[in-house]
């Protein structure tokens, strides 16, 4: 494989088997499903050395008789994300590609913070999602998977037990959104006030995904890039196994193209693949196999969204269509 700019040809992989950032169970099953579906062999076939560090199990950090007025499972999620932060940083300082397979999107505060510890303000983030995930309104019924960026931006200023490790901040000018289309009013205001660059579905339709990616790579030229990819960014026609479906998303082709484009820059240093929920698939049957499915990466087996998740990771790590 060709040399990447910031990482050697080694992947530090771990699973964030976590559902506690929202109310639906099932995302904690995704790391196992992705591995059983062929993820490890796919990465190996692409030429990567693989260090599979196992899973961080959310259930192992369960706290009893602790109520939070800030958001659901706040202290538990703080401890969990602290462990994710440690793994992410340890992987980055070894110049390995950090691959975090979740899990709900709340696990991204830990993974991105770990990269910020290593790369500092040089780090850039491409956030691919139907949602902006920067809601900073606290309350006992709030779900953290809609809040991790608010934490990283510093918008949540109240000290939260378990999150004492969170000291680094992500400057809003260092992130770009792709695919957002279901945004809370306070998030709209924040994005406007902070002048955050975004490409919602209207912008993708108007510009085309090729021009969108050219603009992002020009904006982030020469910088280490982390992509945080929520499968609900994709239209439910192609990815139904996720908990917050929003119609009118990016297509199968657009999703793969944007990841291949990021890979071709050789600037990627990390990826979150989150919100795959095998329990919410339309059918438990494995996805139909098509001719040419397994070129470069080997055999993939899984339900629709699990199989897609493996393919997306492969595209981010160098799978190409021709050369």
């Amino acid at each position: 494989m060709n040399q990447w700019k910031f990482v050697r040809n080694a992947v530090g992989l771990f699973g964030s088997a976590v559902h506690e950032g929202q109310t639906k169970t099932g995302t904690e099953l995704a790391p196992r499903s992705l591995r059983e579906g062929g993820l490890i062999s796919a990465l190996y076939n692409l030429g990567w050395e693989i260090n599979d560090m196992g899973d961080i199990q959310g259930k192992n950090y369960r706290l009893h008789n602790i109520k939070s007025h800030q958001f659901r499972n706040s202290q538990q999620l703080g401890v969990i994300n602290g462990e994710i932060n440690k793994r992410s940083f340890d992987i980055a300082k070894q110049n390995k590609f950090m691959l975090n397979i979740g899990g709900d999107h709340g696990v991204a505060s830990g993974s991105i913070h770990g990269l910020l510890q290593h790369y500092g303000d040089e780090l850039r983030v491409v956030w691919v999602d139907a949602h902006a995930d920067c809601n900073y309104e606290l309350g006992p019924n709030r779900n953290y998977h809609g809040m991790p960026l608010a934490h990283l931006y510093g918008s949540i200023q109240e000290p939260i037990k378990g999150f004492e490790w969170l000291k680094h901040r992500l400057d809003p000018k260092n992130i770009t959104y792709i695919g957002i289309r279901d945004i809370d009013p306070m998030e709209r205001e924040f994005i406007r006030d902070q002048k955050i660059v975004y490409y919602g579905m209207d912008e993708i339709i108007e510009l085309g995904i090729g021009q969108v990616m050219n603009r992002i790579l020009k904006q982030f030229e020469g910088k280490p890039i982390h992509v945080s990819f929520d499968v609900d960014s994709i239209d439910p026609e192609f990815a139904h196994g996720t908990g917050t479906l929003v119609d009118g998303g990016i297509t199968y082709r657009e999703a793969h193209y944007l990841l291949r484009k990021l890979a071709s820059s050789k600037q990627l240093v990390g990826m979150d693949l989150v919100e795959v929920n095998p329990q919410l698939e339309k059918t438990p049957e494995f996805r139909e196999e098509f001719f040419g499915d397994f070129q470069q990466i080997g055999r993939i087996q899984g339900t629709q969204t699990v199989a897609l998740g493996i393919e997306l990771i492969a595209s981010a790590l160098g799978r190409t269509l021709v050369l």
Side-chain angles (χ1 to χ4, degrees), residues 33-104:
S33 296
L34 291 164
R35 286 190 184 91
E36 291 179 346
L39 174 61
I40 304 301
S41 60
L43 300 183
Y44 177 80
N45 288 335
L46 288 170
W48 292 89
E49 298 175 13
I50 304 157
N51 177 21
D52 188 348
M53 305 166 70
D55 292 347
I56 295 171
Q57 297 280 351
K59 63 182 181 181
N60 293 341
Y61 299 87
R62 193 162 295 147
L63 302 172
H64 300 285
N65 302 318
I66 294 180
K67 295 182 180 180
S68 171
H69 68 277
Q70 294 147 333
F71 49 83
R72 286 189 177 95
N73 306 311
S74 62
Q75 187 173 340
Q76 179 185 2
L77 287 165
V79 177
I80 291 169
N81 270 290
E83 292 301 310
I84 294 170
N85 166 66
K86 291 177 186 176
R87 288 203 187 182
S88 177
F89 175 66
D90 286 344
I91 291 167
K93 72 182 182 181
Q94 297 176 63
N95 297 319
K96 295 179 180 178
F97 185 97
M98 191 284 298
L99 179 56
N100 173 27
I101 50 175
D104 67 66

Side-chain angles (χ1 to χ4, degrees), residues 17-36:
V18 178
H19 69 81
E20 285 79 4
Q22 35 92 60
T23 57
K24 297 176 182 177
T25 60
T27 53
E28 74 281 5
L29 305 176
R32 179 177 178 178
S33 296
L34 291 164
R35 286 190 184 91
E36 291 179 346

Side-chain angles (χ1 to χ4, degrees), residues 235-252:
D235 193 273
E237 178 183 354
F238 308 103
H240 195 274
T242 189
T244 47
L245 296 170
V246 185
D247 280 334
I250 62 178
T251 65
Y252 176 94

Side-chain angles (χ1 to χ4, degrees), residues 8 111 248 262 265 311:
R8 56 190 178 90
S111 62
L262 289 171
S265 75
E311 291 178 338

